[in-house]
Amino acid sequence: MMRASLLALSLLAATPAAAANLVIEPVVVPEMKAVFGRVESRTVTPARARIGGTVREIRVTEGSQVRKDDVIAVVVDDKIAIEMSAAEARIKALDSQMTNARTELGRAKQLLERGVAAQSRLDEAQTAYDVIVNQVAAAQAEKAVIEQRAREGNVLAPASGRVLTVPLTVGSVVLAGEEIARIASGGYFLRLSLPERHASEIEEGQAVQIGQRGLSPAQAAQVGAAKEGRVAKVYPEIEEGRVIADVEVTTLGDYFVGERTLVRIPVGKRSVIAVPPGAIKTVHGIDYVRIAGEAGEQDVAVIIGEPVTIDGAERIEILTGLHAGDQVVLP
């Protein structure tokens, strides 16, 4: 009994697994076009000098990360120090005059109380004292304006982001409003330029495949393996036979502005014949697919194309060798 059971088990183990047949039917898939997308910043804000003068210090370089209101450079106007000294000297002179006017006002009050001076003298002393007080206030306000101008020598970052360019060097003479640095802020996106024949096929919201960084042919074959984006905007104007589209990608923070990367975008649809990767076997450099027919199973030479995804499953496109209705034998 035991020998018979072992013999039956050995026969079952030696029997090949039953094969399944896949009936070939054309499937409509998106037609993908590979293009280069250029990384752009949503906003590029210039940091400008608020006063004219000489650049005394630059605290950032190209590529530096800055936060809003960080001091990125210092502009110094030598005339401000002279104006500040003049304002302080004027305030000291007015303080002395105010002290004298206060003394004269007190003396006029005493003389009026003793009856040896007229009321008009007291009024004159009071008026002179009030004039000096107002002159001191005006001088102090002028000094505050000069101090504010000195503080405005600090060039502040207008927004948080990455410094793109710093066109000046220490010692450069600048005017008020001149650009000290350009800062990319607000996030990045990809800008695509496609031939105008695809304009009617590109729609907002379409999913696109973003390739890995680099422009080599080896990396071109890996397009779509890195990340996915969506068409955010299609511009209505065609420039020099090209239609422009913007692609939103959530993970472009480490890219350089102006860097190019490979993108595959759907520009139409086509009908394909595709089989699972396991149905293809390669012998001496030639690809074969086994099909079942009235005469039995036979291997048919095929030419394969690009991988495609159908209903979430990976398939290999068959360019020639198979037809609709063929029964492919799957292992």
Side-chain angles (χ1 to χ4, degrees):
M1 178 69 67
M2 184 175 297
R3 293 181 61 186
S5 299
L6 291 174
L7 179 60
L9 289 175
S10 63
L11 290 174
L12 288 174
T15 302
N21 293 343
L22 173 66
V23 179
I24 294 297
E25 295 181 357
V27 180
V28 177
V29 298
E31 177 73 27
M32 307 298 289
K33 181 176 180 61
V35 296
F36 287 123
R38 179 184 174 90
V39 179
E40 300 283 353
S41 175
R42 194 175 309 281
T43 56
V44 178
T45 307
R48 300 185 182 276
R50 294 182 288 177
I51 63 171
T54 304
V55 179
R56 183 67 56 84
E57 183 181 358
I58 297 178
R59 301 181 182 179
V60 296
T61 59
E62 289 82 353
S64 300
Q65 290 285 346
V66 296
R67 294 181 178 274
K68 185 177 180 180
D69 295 333
D70 284 351
V71 178
I72 64 176
V74 177
V75 177
V76 176
D77 185 357
D78 294 333
K79 297 189 297 296
I80 293 179
I82 300 174
E83 293 175 358
M84 181 67 69
S85 299
E88 291 175 349
R90 184 183 179 190
I91 290 175
K92 289 180 180 179
L94 290 174
D95 285 340
S96 299
Q97 294 180 19
M98 185 172 64
T99 300
N100 184 45
R102 185 183 299 110
T103 302
E104 289 294 331
L105 178 61
R107 184 179 295 113
K109 288 181 179 179
Q110 292 177 358
L111 293 175
L112 180 63
E113 291 175 354
R114 294 175 185 175
V116 295
Q119 180 66 36
S120 59
R121 181 177 179 181
L122 176 62
D123 295 340
E124 292 177 357
Q126 182 68 50
T127 301
Y129 176 76
D130 293 340
V131 170
I132 294 299
V133 169
N134 292 331
Q135 288 179 348
V136 170
Q140 291 176 344
E142 292 178 359
K143 180 183 177 182
V145 171
I146 297 173
E147 291 175 344
Q148 178 62 29
R149 285 176 55 199
R151 286 192 293 269
E152 288 179 352
N154 293 334
V155 181
L156 306 180
S160 300
R162 181 184 297 179
V163 178
L164 296 182
T165 57
V166 183
L168 302 177
T169 59
V170 174
S172 300
V173 177
V174 297
L175 299 176
E178 191 167 343
E179 184 178 288
I180 303 297
R182 293 171 61 245
I183 300 173
S185 61
Y188 299 148
F189 64 93
L190 286 175
R191 178 155 291 172
L192 309 182
S193 177
L194 298 98
E196 62 178 312
R197 65 178 181 272
H198 301 306
S200 61
E201 303 292 341
I202 303 174
E203 299 177 356
E204 295 183 2
Q206 281 181 324
V208 300
Q209 298 172 342
I210 313 300
Q212 296 181 358
R213 296 177 72 172
L215 304 177
S216 66
Q219 290 168 321
Q222 301 174 3
V223 173
K227 55 184 69 73
E228 182 178 288
R230 293 197 173 273
V231 177
K233 186 175 184 179
V234 179
Y235 289 86
E237 184 179 6
I238 295 178
E239 300 178 359
E240 298 181 357
R242 314 287 292 185
V243 58
I244 308 300
D246 292 343
V247 174
E248 290 282 356
V249 189
T250 57
T251 54
L252 281 179
D254 57 343
Y255 278 66
F256 293 100
V257 175
E259 181 178 351
R260 294 194 301 161
T261 187
L262 287 163
V263 179
R264 297 186 70 190
I265 181 170
V267 293
K269 296 181 179 180
R270 59 191 178 92
S271 178
V272 302
I273 291 177
V275 298
I280 301 173
K281 64 179 181 178
T282 303
V283 180
H284 301 300
I286 300 176
D287 298 315
Y288 293 93
V289 173
R290 173 160 292 189
I291 63 174
E294 296 179 357
E297 297 180 356
Q298 59 177 342
D299 290 335
V300 176
V302 297
I303 297 178
I304 64 175
E306 297 181 351
V308 295
T309 302
I310 300 176
D311 296 333
E314 183 180 354
R315 296 287 187 267
I316 303 297
E317 181 183 359
I318 303 299
L319 300 178
T320 61
L322 295 181
H323 303 84
D326 289 344
Q327 295 186 14
V328 175
V329 179
L330 301 180

